[in-house]
Amino acid sequence: MASKIDILDIREFERDQELSDFYCNKFEDHLQTHKKAITVPHKHNFFLTVIFTRGSGIHEIDFEKYEVLPGSVFMLNPGQTHYWELSDDIEGMILFHSKEFFDVCFTNQSVFDFPFFYSVHNPSALFLEPAQTAHLADNFQNILQEYMHRHTLSRQKIVSLLNCIYIDLSRIYLHSGHNKLLKPGKYAGYLRKLEELIEEQFKKEKSAATYAERLNITKRHLNRLTQQMLGKSTTQLITERVILEAKRLIVYDASSLATISHELGYEDYTYFSRLFKKWTGLTPSEFGKSYG
């Protein structure tokens, strides 16, 4: 098995302390400098957006494979696992930032308001037409110029340009045929909070009733909301998060399967193995070998 997966910190990429919570670069330059870290499976503690303008390849995000082509855009939340397999002629632009970098500049707006960041259940990939790609690449280039040269009020201009990029991407994203996107709203707020609670507690807490209690609604009401918004029960959402973490640990962690089972809150490995096979069609051992 592979060694434990790395979590990249945004401070590893900083040029100076003034913009320690933001980074932008041409993708080919970024790849050359950080190839060892980013071409193997890894996570980050920041939001990442990348657009490709030339080349091809594969981008795997949490065990879902996406084709990389000119016009491919990917928007990743903190904590998602991914890696690239890219052609030698790859070109594009990449930026990433902390939540605070964006949110501190707005009174009633957050980076989580954009649909691709709002929920981990919303797709991370978008494919643009040539004109859209050119327009977005221009805005990336403007950000890069500000980032590299640090003119007066560069931080404010970068955030303004970043907001424009996210608005343009949101408009395309919402009209791109994605069905049942989780969007901000009265009831979707419960789902957003539920995702946060599951992320914090899924290893120890598997009861849908407990999550409903912490949201101050009934289990039945919460299940009705998750079914309406995502077509899944609360228990399904909890179990999906457990299975995703199990996959990550099986493939990227050197611990034994019994240890992984215990870490995820299952004392009985046999039960955990049955659950994993029910959801994936493979036993934990078979899944690990398939990525060997």
Side-chain angles (χ1 to χ4, degrees), residues 62-180:
D62 284 332
F63 303 97
E64 187 82 23
K65 282 184 165 58
Y66 299 91
E67 187 175 11
V68 173
L69 295 169
S72 297
V73 181
F74 299 95
M75 301 79 61
L76 273 71
N77 274 284
Q80 290 186 280
T81 301
H82 76 127
Y83 74 95
W84 322 87
E85 294 178 2
L86 302 169
S87 61
D88 293 336
D89 63 342
I90 200 73
E91 292 182 5
M93 303 286 292
I94 187 169
L95 63 80
F96 41 80
H97 60 86
S98 67
K99 180 179 184 293
E100 291 72 25
F101 175 81
F102 187 89
D103 287 7
V104 75
C105 295
F106 299 93
T107 304
N108 298 309
Q109 184 177 343
S110 168
V111 66
F112 283 124
D113 292 337
F114 299 106
F116 34 81
F117 291 140
Y118 186 73
S119 169
V120 295
H121 296 281
N122 288 348
S124 300
L126 189 61
F127 301 94
L128 307 184
E129 298 294 333
Q132 296 170 331
T133 303
H135 173 71
L136 193 64
D138 283 345
N139 274 339
F140 266 84
Q141 187 63 45
N142 290 336
I143 287 180
L144 180 61
Q145 290 301 312
E146 290 292 331
Y147 179 71
M148 298 299 292
H149 297 295
R150 306 298 168 85
H151 301 297
T152 304
L153 300 176
S154 274
R155 187 183 186 94
Q156 289 87 332
K157 186 168 183 180
I158 287 172
V159 175
S160 296
L161 289 167
L162 181 61
N163 190 41
C164 289
I165 284 175
Y166 286 161
I167 290 170
D168 288 342
L169 284 174
S170 295
R171 290 173 175 174
I172 299 167
Y173 189 87
L174 292 171
H175 292 88
S176 63
H178 290 311
N179 295 320
K180 293 187 176 181

Side-chain angles (χ1 to χ4, degrees), residues 235-254:
T235 298
Q236 281 180 285
L237 298 182
I238 299 165
T239 307
E240 283 181 354
R241 183 63 186 89
V242 171
I243 296 301
L244 173 57
E245 194 66 19
K247 288 178 177 179
R248 290 173 174 173
L249 292 172
I250 290 166
V251 174
Y252 306 129
D253 195 300

Side-chain angles (χ1 to χ4, degrees), residues 15-33:
R15 294 181 65 237
D16 60 51
Q17 291 189 347
E18 183 184 351
L19 280 175
S20 61
D21 50 357
F22 180 83
Y23 171 88
C24 183
N25 207 346
K26 293 181 179 179
F27 189 85
E28 53 271 29
D29 294 341
H30 175 72
L31 182 63
Q32 184 175 3
T33 305

Side-chain angles (χ1 to χ4, degrees), residues 210-222:
T210 299
Y211 287 100
E213 182 181 350
R214 291 172 184 172
L215 290 168
N216 294 314
I217 59 177
T218 66
K219 177 183 174 182
R220 183 177 180 183
H221 188 194
L222 182 57

